[in-house]
Amino acid sequence: MKHLLSINDITAAEAISILDTAAQLQNLTSGTVKKLPTLRGRTVVNLFFEDSTRTRLSFDAAAKRLSADVTNFAAKGSSVSKGESLKDTAQTLQAMGADAIVIRHGASGAAKRLAESGWVSASIINAGDGTHEHPTQALLDAFTIRKHFGPTRSDFVGLKVAIVGDIVHSRVARSNVLLLKKLGADVTVIAPPTLIPYGIESWGVAHSFNLDEDLESFDVVMMLRVQLERMNEAYFPNGREYSRGYGLDEVRLGRLKAHAIVMHPGPMNRGLEISAASADSVRSVVLEQVSNGVLVRMAVLYQLLAGPDQAATGVLA
Amino acid sequence: MSELLLKNVTLADNSQVDIHIKGDRIFAIGSDLSTTGEVLDCSGLMALPGFVDLHTHVREPGKENAETVLTGSRSAVRGGFTAVSAMPNTNPVADTAGVVEQVLRLGKSAGLCDVFPIGAVSAGLNGEHLAEIGAMADSAAKVRIFSDDGKCVSDPLLMRRALEYVKIFDGVIAQHAQEPRLTINAQMNEGVVASELGLTGWPSIAEESIIARDILLAETVKSRLHICHVSTKGSVELIRWAKSRGISVTAEVTPHHLILTDELVRGYDPIYKVNPPLRTNDDVVALRAGLADGTIDIVATDHAPHPAEDKDCEWASAAFGMVGLETAFGVVVTTMIRTGLMDWKRLVEVMSINPARIGGYGDQGQPLEVGAMAHITVVDPKKEWTVDKQALISRSSNTPFHGSTLTGDVIHTIYRGALVLKDQRVMGGENVSNG
Ligand SMILES: [Zn+2]
C-alpha cells in the first residue's frame, strides 16, 4: 500500500490488518512508553487547505508518537487559494523531503490527483477531500465499533448500522458506507430525500426517510454533522424541523437497544442533529472515537511508511 | 491563375474522379484531366465539401495564451475545416460591431479558412440587456448567429425578445441550454458516478427544461432556434418532437459527446471536465441515433482551448472544455461511419452542408460541382491513427483523446482553391509559436 486515498483502495483483509495494527499500537503505548521509534528520520507533512483542527491534531499526534518529524502546512488563508497552487505547494513539500503528505482539501478528488498526477512521489493520505471521502475516519469508526462488538472479529456480519443525516455532502458517510459494506455490516442511510445521494440504490445499502421507523433494530447509530447553511439551499426548511425529523433526542435515544452505541465524527451541533443529553449519554462513544483516531492514524502511517513486509506480518519493529 | 488537380479521388457517392481547380473555383470534374499546375495523387482518398464548424472558441481577443484566431485557424484546417464560427465569450465580449469586425479581420489576415464571428445575445453576456444585435448584423461581419455560449440565456423574456429580434435579418439564436439554478457549482453529470465521487451533479433536466421552454418560444414567435451541444437522451426526444411539429429548431452534438461517458471522470482528471458534462452510455446511444436520423442536424466541435495550468490542478478548480477541431473528423468516422450508423452522404450533411445552411455561410457547404467555390477537404477514410496531444496544431493540448486510436484523418484542405493543408502540413502561419 503506497497511498490511502479511498476505502476502495483497500481490501477487507487490509482494513482488518490496519485495525489489528492499531490495537497492537494501543497495547504498546498504553504503559510508560508513549512513543515508538518506528518512523525516526521520516518526515510527515500535514497539508491542510481546510480548517480542521481536530483532524490535524490527530495526525500530528499519530506521527509524533511514531517519532516522525512533522511539518504542519496550513494552506488556508495564505496565498494558496487556487488549483495550480496544489501542485506548487505539493512540489515544495516534496523538495523539503516529505515522505508522506496528509492532505485535507475542499475539492473532491484532490488527494487522488496529488497521488496520481506525477507531481510528487511521497505517500499520500487522504484526510478528507471535499464531499468525497475521509478514509481514516471510517477506519477509526470501524476500530471503535470493533472494540464494542468484538475486538478480534474479522468482519461485521450481523451488525446493523444506521448513518443519519447529510449523506449527500458527507465524506464520512461515503467512506463509512464503503468500509462497513466491505466488512459485511448491514447499513441503512437515513435522511430527508433532499440529502440522499442520487442513485443510492447502486450503493448496496438500505435507505429510509424515517428515523423512527426501525430505530430499535440498530446496533450502531452514526449521526452526521449538518450544516445549517444547507437550509438556504432548500435542503430542509430550518433547523427546528430538521431536528424534529432527524435529530437524536432523548426519546429516540431511549428507544435504542441496550447495547447500541451512538457515534459522531465531530464537531457536533448540539441541539441540531444530536441533543446534548444524547451526546453525553453512556451510549455515546464520541470521545473514544477521538482517541481511537490517533491509534488508527498511527497504524496507517506505520503501514504506509514502515515498509510492506513489516506491515504484512503485523509485527512492530 | 493557380491550378490544382486532385487525381483519382473518391467522392461521397463512391464515384472516382479527377477534380481540376483553377483560381478559387472548381473548373472541371471528370476523368483523365490534366493541368499545368500542381497534381496531388488522391488514390484511396476522398474529397468532401470543406467542413464547417458552428461552435469554436478561438479565445482572441483576451486569452491569446490559449489560442488566437491564427492558431485556431491552423488547427481548423488540420481538422479539415474551411470555416469556423468564433464564439463571443472573449475579453472584451463580442457584443458590438467593433469586436466582431476585429475578429473578422483577424480571420481574414490569417487567411487559412473563413472565421465567422458569432455575436453575443446579451451585453457583456450578463443575461440582462440585449447586445447591439442589429449593429453586429449590419457590420462588415454580417453576423447571423447570436449566442451567450458558456452561459444560458436563462431569462425567458430576454430569450423571447432575442428570438423575435433576429427575425429582422433571418438570424438564429444558438442557445447554451443550462438552467443556472439547477446547476449551481455543478461539476459533472448528475448520476451514480457523481454520487460516488462526491462531485456536484449537472442534471439532464437542467438542459432539457431550457430546451423545452425555448422550443415553445420559437414556435410562438416563429423564429429560428439552434441548440448548442445537445448532450442528453431527453433533449434528443424533445427536439425530435419539436421537428415533428414543424418548429424551426436545429441542433448540434459535439464529437466528445458521441463517444465519451462520465465513467471517465472516476480518476478526477480534469481533461474530462467539460460543459455540458460527459453523460452516460444511454445518452451517447441516443445522440448517435439522433445524428443519424436527422433529429440532430450537425456536428460542432465546441473547440475550447485552455492553457496547461488551467487543467493541471484539482477537478473543482479546473476549466471546463476540450480542444476538438483536429479530432472531430476521426471521432465522427469512428463513432458513426465505422459503426454503420451513417453513410458518407450524411457525414457531408452534418459536417458541411447543414452547418453552412444554419449559419447562412454563402459559398461554404456547397456540393462539389463545376463552378462552385473550391472549399474541399481530402480525407483518408480508413487511416488508423493515434492522437498525440504534443502533435496538435492548436496552441492548447487539452484533448481527451490523447493515446486513443481513431479511424479516418484529414490529409489535405483546400480553401478558396488554395492548398492550406498539404499532406497534413498547414501551409501558412508556421511562424507562430505553439505553446
Ligand atoms: Zn456552450
Side-chain angles (χ1 to χ4, degrees), chain A residues 102-122:
Chain A
V102 176
I103 178 176
R104 160 68 66 100
H105 199 289
S108 298
K112 189 176 177 72
R113 192 81 179 115
L114 192 52
E116 295 177 355
S117 57
W119 300 334
V120 296
S121 60

Side-chain angles (χ1 to χ4, degrees), chain B residues 55-185:
Chain B
H55 194 142
T56 326
H57 296 275
V58 293
R59 303 294 187 217
E60 187 177 9
K63 208 151 186 215
E64 291 81 357
N65 61 330
E67 196 84 285
T68 64
V69 173
L70 177 57
T71 63
S73 296
R74 298 186 78 235
S75 180
V77 301
R78 174 62 184 81
F81 291 92
T82 53
V84 297
S85 311
M87 277 295 177
N89 61 338
T90 47
N91 185 12
V93 171
D95 58 359
T96 61
V99 180
V100 294
E101 286 183 345
Q102 181 195 354
V103 172
L104 181 77
R105 260 196 318 276
L106 288 165
K108 288 203 153 119
S109 86
L112 293 165
C113 61
D114 283 338
V115 178
F116 294 105
I118 292 177
V121 172
S122 69
L125 304 177
N126 65 13
E128 289 169 14
H129 303 284
L130 287 183
E132 292 173 20
I133 287 175
M136 289 187 271
D138 293 341
S139 74
K142 296 192 181 58
V143 179
R144 289 296 176 271
I145 305 178
F146 294 86
S147 180
D148 274 1
D149 184 61
K151 289 184 175 176
C152 180
V153 183
S154 63
D155 177 355
L157 179 69
L158 191 75
M159 187 62 184
R160 178 200 170 136
R161 295 286 185 251
L163 282 165
E164 286 176 311
Y165 198 79
V166 297
K167 289 167 73 176
I168 300 171
F169 43 81
D170 192 28
V172 58
I173 303 295
Q175 175 70 293
H176 167 119
Q178 176 182 4
E179 162 55 45
R181 292 284 296 157
L182 289 174
T183 50
I184 295 169
N185 295 323

